[in-house]
Amino acid sequence: MTPYEALMDHQRETEVLGQIAGRLGWDQETMMPRGAAEQRGEELGVLEGMLHARRTDPRIGDWLEKADASDPAGEANLRHIRRSFERAARVPARLAQALARETSVAQGKWAEAREADDFAAFAPILTRIVELKREEAAALSGGGDPYDALLDDYEPGATGDTLSAMFDALRPRLIALRDRCLGATRQPAALDGTFDTERQLLLSRKLAVAFGYDLDRGRIDRAVHPFSSGSGMDVRITTRTDPADPFNCLYSTIHEVGHACYEQNIDPAYLFTPLGQGVSMGVHESQSRLYENQLGRCSAFTGWLHGQMADQFGDLGMDRDAFYGTVNRLHKGFIRTESDEVQYNLHVLLRFDLERRMISGDLAPRDLEDAWNARFEDDFGYLPPSASKGCLQDVHWSVGLFGYFPTYTLGNVYAGCLNAAIRDAIPDLDDHLAQGDPTPATNWLRDHVQVYGGLYRPREVIARATGSEPDEGPLLDYLEAKFGAIYAG
Amino acid sequence: MTPYEALMDHQRETEVLGQIAGRLGWDQETMMPRGAAEQRGEELGVLEGMLHARRTDPRIGDWLEKADASDPAGEANLRHIRRSFERAARVPARLAQALARETSVAQGKWAEAREADDFAAFAPILTRIVELKREEAAALSGGGDPYDALLDDYEPGATGDTLSAMFDALRPRLIALRDRCLGATRQPAALDGTFDTERQLLLSRKLAVAFGYDLDRGRIDRAVHPFSSGSGMDVRITTRTDPADPFNCLYSTIHEVGHACYEQNIDPAYLFTPLGQGVSMGVHESQSRLYENQLGRCSAFTGWLHGQMADQFGDLGMDRDAFYGTVNRLHKGFIRTESDEVQYNLHVLLRFDLERRMISGDLAPRDLEDAWNARFEDDFGYLPPSASKGCLQDVHWSVGLFGYFPTYTLGNVYAGCLNAAIRDAIPDLDDHLAQGDPTPATNWLRDHVQVYGGLYRPREVIARATGSEPDEGPLLDYLEAKFGAIYAG
């Protein structure tokens, strides 16, 4: 066996264990009996310990030194393995254990604090986690920018400075667009009524298939939070239902189908290698957002969906045009996950700036609530009424996810670029979407993005697919055109 | 860390991996998308490889040499680990791999041959498997009896000779009882009608809870074959439904609940140690059979069930006494899994003798069909009409399970002993069962058998619970009394 083969053999078993851990995670959210939580925690702890031991196995260093790749896939494999090995080696075991321990406690504290609307109850453990994350960032960065070192875990190659420049260009135009929409004379109506949840699931299943999700290699279940899980031949999604809000179920499903199709469409030869998964959070989110928004919420597709809704739930009391406005309606809210295409990114930009300041040491975690509210008022024009609708709304920081939030907006930026390229490549796409058929677009994404898995670097995937380096321009143009028209009245 | 602690640490991770493999097995039979089969096979292959490497880790030998146990549980742990390590070490890797490969092929061949009713198509691969199993048995036995070495995997401490003596005592009395029942003038009626499968599931859920299954630490799903899976706080069962045969669903559920309660009731301190699972197949089967038969099919309980059936499905057209006869009805059949309390053991005895002769070399696998039919005619008085209703009906031999069948009847023998002890200990048990409440009996089993997990040896568990060495007498007395009364007419 060559050193490369030995390395890939070792990696294959690691990837299999990772897939298995993912499957147990799915089980935990969908099927696991309530009383099994503690035992499952122990099982996952052992599995994570094994995974950590495998990822830091000193033989990897030896193999990497001697391994030669014979093709671009081999080079990409070595790049991924080297990056993961070097990152893992830089974090002392003591620190990794402390992070695992504190974040597992913090998640519970966060849930309690949010329930009680009490930021002060969460501040001490948040302070401890930020301390540990700063320590981790310093260890990972090797003298470079600490925030970049965290960001790199979710979006290899991205830096806080380049994202910051991109986000600074987004912010004023998004705020202006938001103000213009909310200030318009004619506002789209909110959806009213009660919608049978079984029929929501039926329709969301139909949408999943229309968007290319292969149910022979996946399944849809209900869970508290929608998510996608698994790779290759077994990629499962969850959705949720709310009788008052069928869009939640339908668009959560389309969103997760975007993630799932990315995984299902990766070249099967990459299974159980580092190339066998989506290459970054940003690129992953570009797929889910494009499926959900640029395709799922465009006028041609909602025209078709309007008929489907009527079939399932009876007359909606509005025509296709009004329905299109309703699907894309902006409202004055507080919650990121409930916001629309325009305001969503403002929510993310706020979090990006605050977490960057916490990691740099410029913002003390105990001052987070004040900083959040001040910034929220700047961007949205009003104050959150409570911490649970402000800085306590997201779980991310409590579980140690710093550097994760910006990939949401980066995904939207990538989706903007890809959407422009798709519209160029498929001029009659709307004719298909108006029949409920997004496959010309999803096939294009499959062939230009998804099939490559981890072969190219994140920005490179987008640049290769679109023919130019990604930037925020296409997203802004798209949003201004779309929402300018909806709120023209 | 002492050698004992190091050994138990290693073992703990092995047990966790084993639990995880079991959970994936459950997923495969209940939730997994069809197209994921191949990928799952690869995942399980990697996991089995890791498990094998952990079980044969040479450090185990060193630790075992130096380890001291400080209490009976420690001694039992060492005994289990030593046994498993020595067994694994005796089988050459080449042979283990050949067995894994051939049995995975053979399972498909068996299914095809059964479908085509063609024993000749199965004979060559069966011959190969018996060859490999004989090789394995010779390696395991170290000069002792080869069949005993295989049996020991499922029923530690049992031998072919002691089972044979027990079964020889059973056979004539079972045949006589069967003939008496089937020759009686008044025969119980078969159940007639169609029974809503959702209501079957509803009632079976109620039965599961009545028999002590904790749904906070378990769940019930439909699968092709009923089974129980998992240990500790996560023990799941499956059942199946047939509109024409509600007893299949109800009694499969009670049977699996017997297995599941054994696992759920083991001392939680034993979790992730070798004591954290049922001690043998025979003792496991004693629980499931006792729940299903001695409790679930007794006259007091079926009297209550008669009312439950009427509530769910309407008037059955028979009174309680007739219903009791119907539940326990014997018929002239061919299939082990469809047979009754009396004839079931005759099916097992036949397989035990034939597999013992194949392992000893006395019966060539190519002659199995003739030998099966001859023995079947001896014991049942008529010939199977086809191989699929004869020697091709069970999957066991195709997957290499030799030495497994006799544990079914051994379980019945143990159940006979335990039932006699329970009836002595709880004289008013029937009053409870007549109210649909088996808990005095299931609590007795929990406290006298289940809680101990793997602490005692199999026969020892039964002897401690009942106060005497187990033998076939109580089972025979019970069967003759029960069926003598039902078929008195």
PDB file of all heavy atoms in Angstrom, chain A residues 439-455:
ATOM      1  N   THR A 439     -36.735  21.793 -12.755  1.00  0.00           N
ATOM      2  CA  THR A 439     -35.591  20.908 -13.069  1.00  0.00           C
ATOM      3  C   THR A 439     -34.560  21.515 -14.024  1.00  0.00           C
ATOM      4  O   THR A 439     -33.376  21.182 -13.866  1.00  0.00           O
ATOM      5  CB  THR A 439     -36.028  19.520 -13.598  1.00  0.00           C
ATOM      6  OG1 THR A 439     -37.026  19.692 -14.586  1.00  0.00           O
ATOM      7  CG2 THR A 439     -36.536  18.661 -12.475  1.00  0.00           C
ATOM      8  N   PRO A 440     -34.912  22.366 -14.993  1.00  0.00           N
ATOM      9  CA  PRO A 440     -33.806  22.942 -15.782  1.00  0.00           C
ATOM     10  C   PRO A 440     -32.797  23.654 -14.868  1.00  0.00           C
ATOM     11  O   PRO A 440     -31.594  23.549 -15.071  1.00  0.00           O
ATOM     12  CB  PRO A 440     -34.516  23.930 -16.713  1.00  0.00           C
ATOM     13  CG  PRO A 440     -35.913  23.416 -16.830  1.00  0.00           C
ATOM     14  CD  PRO A 440     -36.222  22.798 -15.496  1.00  0.00           C
ATOM     15  N   ALA A 441     -33.285  24.357 -13.854  1.00  0.00           N
ATOM     16  CA  ALA A 441     -32.387  25.063 -12.936  1.00  0.00           C
ATOM     17  C   ALA A 441     -31.667  24.098 -11.996  1.00  0.00           C
ATOM     18  O   ALA A 441     -30.454  24.200 -11.780  1.00  0.00           O
ATOM     19  CB  ALA A 441     -33.176  26.092 -12.124  1.00  0.00           C
ATOM     20  N   THR A 442     -32.397  23.136 -11.440  1.00  0.00           N
ATOM     21  CA  THR A 442     -31.750  22.233 -10.485  1.00  0.00           C
ATOM     22  C   THR A 442     -30.764  21.308 -11.201  1.00  0.00           C
ATOM     23  O   THR A 442     -29.720  20.967 -10.643  1.00  0.00           O
ATOM     24  CB  THR A 442     -32.793  21.420  -9.681  1.00  0.00           C
ATOM     25  OG1 THR A 442     -33.676  20.755 -10.590  1.00  0.00           O
ATOM     26  CG2 THR A 442     -33.613  22.330  -8.787  1.00  0.00           C
ATOM     27  N   ASN A 443     -31.079  20.933 -12.446  1.00  0.00           N
ATOM     28  CA  ASN A 443     -30.102  20.135 -13.206  1.00  0.00           C
ATOM     29  C   ASN A 443     -28.832  20.946 -13.484  1.00  0.00           C
ATOM     30  O   ASN A 443     -27.719  20.410 -13.440  1.00  0.00           O
ATOM     31  CB  ASN A 443     -30.694  19.661 -14.539  1.00  0.00           C
ATOM     32  CG  ASN A 443     -31.680  18.516 -14.344  1.00  0.00           C
ATOM     33  OD1 ASN A 443     -31.779  17.956 -13.254  1.00  0.00           O
ATOM     34  ND2 ASN A 443     -32.413  18.181 -15.399  1.00  0.00           N
ATOM     35  N   TRP A 444     -29.011  22.249 -13.780  1.00  0.00           N
ATOM     36  CA  TRP A 444     -27.846  23.121 -14.016  1.00  0.00           C
ATOM     37  C   TRP A 444     -26.983  23.167 -12.751  1.00  0.00           C
ATOM     38  O   TRP A 444     -25.758  23.040 -12.818  1.00  0.00           O
ATOM     39  CB  TRP A 444     -28.335  24.526 -14.391  1.00  0.00           C
ATOM     40  CG  TRP A 444     -27.258  25.458 -14.865  1.00  0.00           C
ATOM     41  CD1 TRP A 444     -26.905  25.720 -16.156  1.00  0.00           C
ATOM     42  CD2 TRP A 444     -26.388  26.272 -14.045  1.00  0.00           C
ATOM     43  NE1 TRP A 444     -25.881  26.633 -16.203  1.00  0.00           N
ATOM     44  CE2 TRP A 444     -25.536  26.985 -14.915  1.00  0.00           C
ATOM     45  CE3 TRP A 444     -26.251  26.452 -12.673  1.00  0.00           C
ATOM     46  CZ2 TRP A 444     -24.558  27.877 -14.467  1.00  0.00           C
ATOM     47  CZ3 TRP A 444     -25.280  27.330 -12.209  1.00  0.00           C
ATOM     48  CH2 TRP A 444     -24.439  28.037 -13.091  1.00  0.00           C
ATOM     49  N   LEU A 445     -27.625  23.311 -11.612  1.00  0.00           N
ATOM     50  CA  LEU A 445     -26.874  23.353 -10.347  1.00  0.00           C
ATOM     51  C   LEU A 445     -26.188  22.024 -10.070  1.00  0.00           C
ATOM     52  O   LEU A 445     -25.053  21.982  -9.604  1.00  0.00           O
ATOM     53  CB  LEU A 445     -27.816  23.727  -9.196  1.00  0.00           C
ATOM     54  CG  LEU A 445     -28.239  25.196  -9.174  1.00  0.00           C
ATOM     55  CD1 LEU A 445     -29.409  25.412  -8.225  1.00  0.00           C
ATOM     56  CD2 LEU A 445     -27.055  26.097  -8.781  1.00  0.00           C
ATOM     57  N   ARG A 446     -26.891  20.951 -10.362  1.00  0.00           N
ATOM     58  CA  ARG A 446     -26.295  19.629 -10.186  1.00  0.00           C
ATOM     59  C   ARG A 446     -24.997  19.521 -11.001  1.00  0.00           C
ATOM     60  O   ARG A 446     -23.964  19.124 -10.478  1.00  0.00           O
ATOM     61  CB  ARG A 446     -27.291  18.544 -10.642  1.00  0.00           C
ATOM     62  CG  ARG A 446     -26.792  17.111 -10.499  1.00  0.00           C
ATOM     63  CD  ARG A 446     -27.706  16.141 -11.263  1.00  0.00           C
ATOM     64  NE  ARG A 446     -27.657  16.422 -12.700  1.00  0.00           N
ATOM     65  CZ  ARG A 446     -28.598  16.074 -13.584  1.00  0.00           C
ATOM     66  NH1 ARG A 446     -29.660  15.408 -13.192  1.00  0.00           N
ATOM     67  NH2 ARG A 446     -28.467  16.383 -14.868  1.00  0.00           N
ATOM     68  N   ASP A 447     -25.080  19.931 -12.284  1.00  0.00           N
ATOM     69  CA  ASP A 447     -23.942  19.730 -13.188  1.00  0.00           C
ATOM     70  C   ASP A 447     -22.829  20.761 -13.005  1.00  0.00           C
ATOM     71  O   ASP A 447     -21.681  20.493 -13.350  1.00  0.00           O
ATOM     72  CB  ASP A 447     -24.420  19.768 -14.646  1.00  0.00           C
ATOM     73  CG  ASP A 447     -25.412  18.646 -14.935  1.00  0.00           C
ATOM     74  OD1 ASP A 447     -25.408  17.650 -14.185  1.00  0.00           O
ATOM     75  OD2 ASP A 447     -26.207  18.782 -15.886  1.00  0.00           O
ATOM     76  N   HIS A 448     -23.172  21.959 -12.513  1.00  0.00           N
ATOM     77  CA  HIS A 448     -22.160  23.012 -12.404  1.00  0.00           C
ATOM     78  C   HIS A 448     -21.641  23.228 -10.999  1.00  0.00           C
ATOM     79  O   HIS A 448     -20.609  23.864 -10.815  1.00  0.00           O
ATOM     80  CB  HIS A 448     -22.718  24.345 -12.948  1.00  0.00           C
ATOM     81  CG  HIS A 448     -22.923  24.344 -14.421  1.00  0.00           C
ATOM     82  ND1 HIS A 448     -24.027  23.777 -15.015  1.00  0.00           N
ATOM     83  CD2 HIS A 448     -22.151  24.814 -15.443  1.00  0.00           C
ATOM     84  CE1 HIS A 448     -23.948  23.902 -16.335  1.00  0.00           C
ATOM     85  NE2 HIS A 448     -22.811  24.523 -16.625  1.00  0.00           N
ATOM     86  N   VAL A 449     -22.346  22.725 -10.002  1.00  0.00           N
ATOM     87  CA  VAL A 449     -21.926  22.949  -8.612  1.00  0.00           C
ATOM     88  C   VAL A 449     -21.892  21.635  -7.824  1.00  0.00           C
ATOM     89  O   VAL A 449     -20.853  21.217  -7.313  1.00  0.00           O
ATOM     90  CB  VAL A 449     -22.872  23.948  -7.894  1.00  0.00           C
ATOM     91  CG1 VAL A 449     -22.496  24.065  -6.417  1.00  0.00           C
ATOM     92  CG2 VAL A 449     -22.826  25.316  -8.569  1.00  0.00           C
ATOM     93  N   GLN A 450     -23.064  20.986  -7.755  1.00  0.00           N
ATOM     94  CA  GLN A 450     -23.246  19.933  -6.761  1.00  0.00           C
ATOM     95  C   GLN A 450     -22.361  18.713  -6.998  1.00  0.00           C
ATOM     96  O   GLN A 450     -21.792  18.143  -6.060  1.00  0.00           O
ATOM     97  CB  GLN A 450     -24.731  19.538  -6.713  1.00  0.00           C
ATOM     98  CG  GLN A 450     -25.598  20.720  -6.240  1.00  0.00           C
ATOM     99  CD  GLN A 450     -27.085  20.478  -6.396  1.00  0.00           C
ATOM    100  OE1 GLN A 450     -27.511  19.458  -6.927  1.00  0.00           O
ATOM    101  NE2 GLN A 450     -27.885  21.438  -5.940  1.00  0.00           N
ATOM    102  N   VAL A 451     -22.230  18.306  -8.251  1.00  0.00           N
ATOM    103  CA  VAL A 451     -21.509  17.069  -8.562  1.00  0.00           C
ATOM    104  C   VAL A 451     -20.070  17.099  -8.058  1.00  0.00           C
ATOM    105  O   VAL A 451     -19.488  16.062  -7.748  1.00  0.00           O
ATOM    106  CB  VAL A 451     -21.564  16.806 -10.087  1.00  0.00           C
ATOM    107  CG1 VAL A 451     -20.776  17.862 -10.853  1.00  0.00           C
ATOM    108  CG2 VAL A 451     -21.065  15.411 -10.435  1.00  0.00           C
ATOM    109  N   TYR A 452     -19.497  18.298  -7.916  1.00  0.00           N
ATOM    110  CA  TYR A 452     -18.075  18.404  -7.568  1.00  0.00           C
ATOM    111  C   TYR A 452     -17.780  18.177  -6.082  1.00  0.00           C
ATOM    112  O   TYR A 452     -16.628  18.001  -5.708  1.00  0.00           O
ATOM    113  CB  TYR A 452     -17.524  19.768  -8.004  1.00  0.00           C
ATOM    114  CG  TYR A 452     -17.578  19.958  -9.508  1.00  0.00           C
ATOM    115  CD1 TYR A 452     -18.350  20.953 -10.076  1.00  0.00           C
ATOM    116  CD2 TYR A 452     -16.870  19.098 -10.353  1.00  0.00           C
ATOM    117  CE1 TYR A 452     -18.425  21.114 -11.456  1.00  0.00           C
ATOM    118  CE2 TYR A 452     -16.944  19.246 -11.729  1.00  0.00           C
ATOM    119  CZ  TYR A 452     -17.721  20.247 -12.280  1.00  0.00           C
ATOM    120  OH  TYR A 452     -17.787  20.389 -13.635  1.00  0.00           O
ATOM    121  N   GLY A 453     -18.806  18.221  -5.242  1.00  0.00           N
ATOM    122  CA  GLY A 453     -18.553  17.995  -3.817  1.00  0.00           C
ATOM    123  C   GLY A 453     -17.426  18.883  -3.323  1.00  0.00           C
ATOM    124  O   GLY A 453     -17.446  20.095  -3.526  1.00  0.00           O
ATOM    125  N   GLY A 454     -16.426  18.265  -2.712  1.00  0.00           N
ATOM    126  CA  GLY A 454     -15.323  19.033  -2.144  1.00  0.00           C
ATOM    127  C   GLY A 454     -14.127  19.192  -3.071  1.00  0.00           C
ATOM    128  O   GLY A 454     -13.024  19.497  -2.600  1.00  0.00           O
ATOM    129  N   LEU A 455     -14.331  18.981  -4.373  1.00  0.00           N
ATOM    130  CA  LEU A 455     -13.178  18.990  -5.298  1.00  0.00           C
ATOM    131  C   LEU A 455     -12.509  20.362  -5.385  1.00  0.00           C
ATOM    132  O   LEU A 455     -11.285  20.462  -5.354  1.00  0.00           O
ATOM    133  CB  LEU A 455     -13.640  18.531  -6.685  1.00  0.00           C
ATOM    134  CG  LEU A 455     -12.540  18.398  -7.753  1.00  0.00           C
ATOM    135  CD1 LEU A 455     -11.481  17.370  -7.344  1.00  0.00           C
ATOM    136  CD2 LEU A 455     -13.150  18.012  -9.105  1.00  0.00           C
TER     137      LEU A 455
END
